[in-house]
Amino acid sequence: MHFAFTDQQIEFRDAVRQVLAKECTTDDLRAAFAAPAVRTARWATLAELGVVGLSVPEAHGGLGLGLLDLVLLLEEAGRVALPEPLTATTALAAPLLAGLEDSDPGRAGQVASWLEQIATGAIGAAVGPLPGSSAPTTGAIGADLMVLTAPGPDGRPEIHVVKGDAVAVAAVASLDPTRRLGVVTWEPTVGTRVASGPTAGSAILATANRAAVATAAELLGLAEAMIAMAAGYAKERQQFGKPIGAFQAVKHLLAGAQVKLEFARPVVYGAAWSIDYVTPHSSRSASVAKAYASDAAVEAARVALQVHGAIGYTWECDLHLFMKRAWALAEAWGSAGDHRHLVLASLVGPT
Amino acid sequence: MVAGNLAVCQISRDTREPMDLTMDTPMDLRYTDAQEAFREEARSWLSARAPAPRSLPSLDTAEGFEAHRAWERTMFDDRWSVVSWPEEYGGRGVGILEWLIFEEEYWRAQAPLRVSQNGVFLLAPTLFEFGTDGQKARFLAPMASGAEIWCQGWSEPDAGSDLAGIRSRARRADNDDGWVLTGQKTWASRGAFAEWCFGLFRTDPEAERHRGLTYFLVEMGSPGVTVRPIPQIDGETGFAEIFFEEVFVPDSQVLGGVDRGWNVAMATAGSERGLSLRSPARYCEAAGRLVALYAERMVSDPERALRTADAVAQAWMDAEAYRLNTLWTATRVLDGGSVGPEASANKIHWSETDLAIHRAALALLGPEAELHGGGADAPWLDGYLFALAGPIYAGTNEIQRNVVAERMLGLPRG
């Protein structure tokens, strides 16, 4: 039992934090809101640092690391509301492709090429919704590579990989334009299929679990950023002759949000560990993580807005850039309520 | 509260498990084979020796108090009452992770509530940190065996959350060989039956609030001590008011130095809120029973069960989050770190978790929830009454939120 990150993992986190503090300011974020894109200079920088290719096998130019190594970096991505598709590309697409490499030798060369392009930052991926979901695809607009599912001849889902320029994407407006939502119209063929049958089934389950935990990690960072903004504002803003943060009514709002965040964090880290080490309850751990982090981030947004007062309700104040991402991610890959339902189902078994 | 002090948890620093962990040990949430063997040993002992669940009379009755004391003695005789203490005081010298494992097994067995809890979990960490060798030799073993049960003498009629407002005072004895205590303490859990009391008294009436307090160990049988039991919300005498009229206490019963009581007390407060008082096992066990109750009601009353499902899931997750947070904190302590204001976040979380678990159970029970004293589900109502005290004792949750806001988020003091 040793529930802590290694020094190396912490150092990597700190390095990425430093870079993102410079490369992803709120001015940058506003620019991304105006003109969302995938392969930005920032994406190239993250690729150079090894972040984008973190879960690409070393043989294909990546670091060959796991979700446990990525989770702290996703938290940093959340802290600055990084607009590029790190979760889809690095937490979902790369491990999925790496896992399929051996299952279809005929396609190994193609898969290897995609993985290499991910590692160099040449492409950014989008991952479609889980089978049965009617949600649009996150990051569809501008994606170079899309991982999608479609029902096979037996009705069971298959996994397909298509290039962004080979599909039609109808934009769907999001509160947060950097989400680049779109409905993808495409024709599944034998040529686009990368997995079917049980292989596809287990890859989809694994992707759902990774998506829940990766998104939860981003939500931790978003929650921390919003609480920090609000605490900073509460120290500056004076009313009745003192900083509003001196009033217990304000303190208790922020303390409540902070406690939720404190307790969400180990839950997310523990879920990342349970996925990397394939424990029997990794799906349940992923669900607890997503439910906890979603609630923590929504609460942080609610409290941060309240503490800011009217200024927080303006376009000028940076808070909305973070709140909008938090609201979107809180519902993405299963809401808190969806995941509580899954947790209870896993505890009582099929009824 | 005081950074670093909570690190002792229930254990003294020198009983931590050997540090063969380098800082670059990869994360691993599994227990070692040795830890699993320890679990097995605890489990088999408890299954052989622990009384059947809820078979002892309430510990807030004279009869129940003695029955619980006898159970403490049984545990002590086989070195299970204070596993993390050094062997010389009756423990096994195991680390914090083993203590957490023991707690899991203890709650899994639904063994009796610990009548010695105030001493073992609150005073003992303070004694290990501040006590003289003589005090440790005198007090620890009888505390661990249940021969001497302790109550806490902190709150006063006018000093609750504002603990520094204490008025009970101590003046130097005429022979200069000790102190003479006068005043009133209240809301002392186990105070009606305890043999000893640890408490704060004002030794320097001129000093400012937090200064001039001293931590005393007082025998309840001393001349001048009067105890008035106070029935609690459940009708039993869980509380007592304690009156001190010219009570002589020798110098050997001052803990941690004259006028240093606030710092000494804050070490105990940290234990109360932090890792040692409420192990996650307590909540994980209750959450497990809650899920079992839900599964049973899915058969007998599925509509009500479905309406409660979300609350049941949340309560279970709250217990699970507490378990993981405790392991996270324990690892930090074992790696040489400390627990600061996180102890306050911890206290808020466990007290609210306890409420969430019991509230969800009562919602599942519906009209049966009000039935008290009869039936297999009666413990849920008792447990709810107990849980309601959680946000009040050990420093109200409002005080804890102030600590979180000021010390974790840097907000100004009010």
Side-chain angles (χ1 to χ4, degrees):
Chain A
M1 175 67 63
H2 191 252
F3 192 10
F5 289 96
T6 63
D7 285 352
Q8 267 191 324
Q9 286 163 333
I10 299 288
E11 282 164 21
F12 199 7
R13 190 264 322 263
D14 291 346
V16 169
R17 180 182 295 183
Q18 274 195 336
V19 168
L20 288 177
K22 286 198 211 91
E23 305 272 325
C24 194
T25 65
T26 52
D27 283 345
D28 295 324
L29 209 45
R30 284 174 184 276
F33 258 56
V38 178
R39 276 172 279 99
T40 58
R42 192 165 42 239
W43 188 247
T45 305
L46 288 172
E48 265 170 48
L49 280 171
V51 175
V52 176
L54 182 134
S55 43
V56 170
E58 286 176 281
H60 302 309
L63 299 180
L65 297 174
L67 189 57
L68 192 53
D69 301 289
L70 183 58
V71 81
L72 288 177
L73 310 186
L74 289 165
E75 198 174 333
E76 294 310 310
R79 187 191 306 278
V80 295
L82 182 79
E84 287 80 18
L86 190 60
T87 285
T89 306
T90 308
L92 307 184
L96 184 139
L97 292 171
L100 296 176
E101 206 181 357
D102 300 331
S103 66
D104 185 356
R107 209 180 293 280
Q110 176 66 75
V111 169
S113 156
W114 287 328
L115 286 167
E116 280 156 19
Q117 292 178 70
I118 287 175
T120 61
I123 60 174
V127 176
L130 293 172
S133 164
S134 58
T137 294
T138 305
I141 297 165
D144 301 297
L145 199 66
M146 294 193 196
V147 180
L148 302 167
T149 65
D154 59 355
R156 295 204 294 181
E158 299 175 336
I159 301 175
H160 296 254
V161 177
V162 295
K163 288 179 145 183
D165 55 14
V167 300
V169 179
V172 177
S174 167
L175 193 60
D176 173 356
T178 68
R179 297 273 295 153
R180 297 178 291 107
L181 301 182
V183 172
V184 182
T185 309
W186 60 294
E187 200 60 48
T189 66
V190 176
T192 58
R193 189 177 67 201
V194 296
S196 58
T199 310
S202 61
I204 289 167
L205 177 63
T207 300
N209 289 341
R210 298 174 67 87
V213 177
T215 309
E218 286 191 76
L219 285 162
L220 294 180
L222 285 159
E224 182 159 359
M226 291 185 286
I227 291 170
M229 286 174 79
Y233 183 75
K235 285 178 227 174
E236 304 275 312
R237 170 71 175 163
Q238 303 258 336
Q239 286 288 274
F240 303 100
K242 53 182 168 181
I244 60 169
F247 293 103
Q248 286 197 346
V250 173
K251 279 182 184 167
H252 289 190
L253 281 180
L254 283 166
Q258 176 69 17
V259 172
K260 276 193 161 45
L261 172 61
E262 284 289 309
F263 279 81
R265 217 176 245 132
V267 167
V268 176
Y269 302 157
W273 177 83
S274 81
I275 283 176
D276 276 3
Y277 291 86
V278 200
T279 70
H281 300 304
S282 50
S283 288
R284 184 198 296 161
S285 298
S287 284
V288 177
K290 182 59 168 57
Y292 241 80
S294 293
D295 281 346
V298 168
E299 176 71 5
R302 170 86 182 80
V303 162
L305 177 56
Q306 187 68 21
V307 169
H308 276 82
I311 188 75
Y313 203 73
T314 65
W315 190 266
E316 174 198 345
C317 178
D318 291 332
L319 181 62
H320 74 105
L321 305 170
F322 297 82
M323 290 198 295
K324 287 169 180 172
R325 184 73 57 78
W327 294 329
L329 293 187
E331 307 305 319
W333 301 108
S335 68
D338 294 337
H339 282 288
R340 279 194 289 272
H341 179 78
L342 291 172
V343 167
L344 194 53
S346 87
L347 288 169
V348 298
T351 50
Chain B
M1 279 289 291
V2 178
N5 286 344
L6 188 62
V8 296
C9 302
Q10 191 202 351
I11 54 179
S12 66
R13 288 173 199 284
D14 54 357
T15 64
R16 280 185 205 156
E17 65 182 9
M19 281 283 302
D20 58 353
L21 303 165
T22 69
M23 288 304 278
D24 256 19
T25 309
M27 188 182 291
D28 191 346
L29 293 183
R30 293 165 301 183
Y31 289 108
T32 62
D33 290 347
Q35 287 165 336
E36 291 298 350
F38 176 79
R39 176 192 299 285
E40 198 46 52
E41 192 187 351
R43 181 176 295 189
S44 61
W45 187 85
L46 284 162
S47 100
R49 304 300 299 276
R54 293 178 294 281
S55 60
L56 302 188
S58 160
L59 68 82
D60 290 328
T61 61
E63 180 200 7
F65 197 85
E66 292 311 315
H68 282 77
R69 188 202 298 276
W71 163 241
E72 292 292 332
R73 177 78 214 188
T74 303
M75 285 203 290
F76 179 75
D77 287 345
D78 287 342
R79 290 188 176 264
W80 287 110
S81 72
V82 285
V83 291
S84 57
W85 288 15
E87 290 181 20
E88 60 180 306
Y89 300 118
R92 292 173 177 243
V94 300
I96 185 170
L97 294 171
E98 287 76 8
W99 175 68
L100 291 168
I101 290 168
F102 173 77
E103 284 283 300
E104 283 178 13
E105 293 306 315
Y106 194 86
W107 287 94
R108 183 180 174 277
Q110 298 189 50
L113 294 174
R114 304 293 302 271
V115 67
S116 60
Q117 147 186 310
N118 285 331
V120 169
F121 294 120
L122 304 183
L123 173 58
T126 316
L127 264 174
F128 278 120
E129 183 153 352
F130 296 96
T132 63
D133 288 345
Q135 287 171 330
K136 286 188 254 191
R138 164 64 188 83
F139 292 114
L140 287 168
M143 179 191 299
S145 70
E148 292 175 349
I149 306 287
W150 289 79
C151 66
Q152 190 183 46
W154 282 16
S155 293
E156 295 182 4
D158 293 319
S161 287
D162 184 10
L163 188 62
I166 280 171
R167 291 183 189 174
S168 292
R169 61 191 190 278
R171 64 169 168 78
R172 204 63 198 139
D174 296 339
N175 292 340
D176 201 30
D177 54 352
W179 296 84
V180 177
L181 275 45
T182 304
Q184 179 184 355
K185 296 290 179 180
T186 191
W187 317 136
S189 299
R190 318 283 165 263
F193 309 109
E195 280 82 20
W196 282 82
C197 173
F198 57 95
L200 287 175
F201 291 78
R202 194 163 288 287
T203 32
D204 181 355
E206 307 297 318
E208 289 198 29
R209 291 157 38 85
H210 298 81
R211 301 197 178 119
L213 295 171
T214 298
Y215 198 122
F216 285 99
L217 309 175
V218 188
E219 192 162 10
M220 297 288 276
S222 308
V225 175
T226 310
V227 174
R228 187 179 73 85
I230 303 175
Q232 285 184 331
I233 199 169
D234 60 1
E236 289 173 358
T237 50
F239 280 151
E241 215 172 5
I242 309 170
F243 298 91
F244 299 84
E245 288 171 78
E246 299 281 300
V247 177
F248 175 76
V249 176
D251 284 331
S252 59
Q253 288 165 219
V254 168
L255 181 56
V258 173
D259 293 344
R260 302 239 324 115
W262 184 260
N263 290 342
V264 179
M266 284 306 106
T268 310
S271 304
E272 200 172 5
R273 289 165 202 153
L275 282 176
S276 72
L277 178 64
R278 296 283 180 247
S279 72
R282 178 193 191 97
Y283 307 109
C284 291
E285 188 275 333
R289 276 188 291 120
L290 174 65
V291 169
L293 178 65
Y294 170 82
E296 176 202 314
R297 297 287 152 151
M298 277 299 286
V299 177
S300 64
D301 189 355
E303 286 187 21
R304 184 184 305 283
L306 282 174
R307 284 195 295 273
T308 317
D310 202 56
V312 171
Q314 184 65 49
W316 185 89
M317 293 196 316
D318 288 342
E320 173 69 359
Y322 185 48
R323 185 181 73 83
L324 287 163
N325 191 276
T326 300
L327 292 171
W328 179 252
T329 308
T331 301
R332 189 165 79 234
V333 169
L334 288 168
D335 283 349
S338 62
V339 181
E342 296 90 348
S344 291
N346 214 39
K347 197 262 163 169
I348 294 168
H349 184 85
W350 63 246
S351 57
E352 292 186 349
T353 295
D354 204 17
L355 277 173
I357 292 168
H358 288 88
R359 195 58 250 172
L362 296 185
L364 278 172
L365 291 170
E368 295 165 49
E370 71 169 303
L371 304 178
H372 189 253
D377 294 323
W380 286 117
L381 189 55
D382 292 340
Y384 183 56
L385 290 179
F386 185 82
L388 282 166
I392 300 170
Y393 64 78
T396 63
N397 284 13
E398 286 68 34
I399 294 291
Q400 309 307 336
R401 287 193 177 90
N402 289 349
V403 174
V404 169
E406 290 164 13
R407 298 194 40 210
M408 295 182 85
L409 298 174
L411 296 186
R413 289 178 181 274

